């Protein structure tokens, strides 16, 4: 099984309650955009500033992120990814989500691989499903 991880799934796994993807760590290969580590660190820092995480929880999250980054192959944000992300999407998505979707689409097309799309974001899940991905982690219905 090959999975593309949206940042929201990684964030929830690191600082949330439980495992958003029942399959966490059970895949053969995992991919994400280079954006993933940036988004996770940014969210962790925001949660620290909002006092939703204490120093120990932030340290744990950063440590776990290092492990996650080693487990996940990061897809470079190339001009091709940006061109794909700038094309019309079937549902409303924000810019960073479009880059994740563009990365996953190009990867699936170039490798001719069936890719699961893992996310904890309902709108991202809806867009991924509309683009033909099987979605895990959040219901789109």
């Amino acid at each position: 099984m090959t999975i593309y991880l949206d940042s929201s799934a990684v964030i929830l796994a690191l600082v949330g309650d439980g495992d958003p993807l029942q399959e966490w760590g059970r895949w053969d290969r995992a991919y994400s955009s280079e954006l993933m580590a940036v988004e996770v660190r940014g969210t962790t820092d925001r949660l620290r500033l909002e006092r939703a995480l204490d120093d120990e929880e932030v340290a744990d999250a950063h440590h776990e992120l290092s492990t996650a980054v080693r487990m996940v192959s990061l897809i470079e944000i190339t001009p091709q990814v940006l061109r794909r992300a700038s094309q019309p999407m079937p549902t409303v998505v924000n810019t960073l989500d479009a880059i994740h979707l563009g990365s996953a689409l190009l990867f699936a097309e170039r490798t001719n691989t069936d890719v699961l799309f893992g996310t904890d974001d309902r709108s991202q899940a809806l867009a991924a499903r509309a683009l033909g991905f099987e979605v895990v982690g959040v219901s789109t219905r």
Side-chain angles (χ1 to χ4, degrees), residues 50-112:
E50 293 172 351
R51 300 189 192 286
L53 296 177
D54 62 26
D55 288 344
E56 185 173 340
E57 291 168 320
V58 169
D60 288 345
H62 281 276
H63 180 273
E64 292 298 322
L65 176 59
S66 297
T67 301
V69 168
R70 285 192 301 275
M71 291 175 59
V72 175
S73 298
L74 298 179
I75 297 171
E76 185 177 356
I77 301 171
T78 63
Q80 294 84 4
V81 167
L82 296 176
R83 274 195 295 279
R84 182 59 187 99
S86 68
Q87 293 177 359
M89 293 287 172
T91 63
V92 175
V93 295
N94 66 39
T95 303
L96 296 179
D97 287 349
I99 292 171
H100 278 292
L101 290 164
S103 297
L105 284 166
L106 285 175
F107 173 79
E109 291 166 4
R110 289 181 176 168
T111 62
N112 196 29

Side-chain angles (χ1 to χ4, degrees), residues 6-26:
D6 174 67
S7 299
S8 65
V10 178
I11 290 165
L12 187 59
L14 297 181
V15 299
D17 294 327
D19 178 3
L21 309 174
Q22 299 295 322
E23 296 84 5
W24 186 266
R26 295 185 196 169

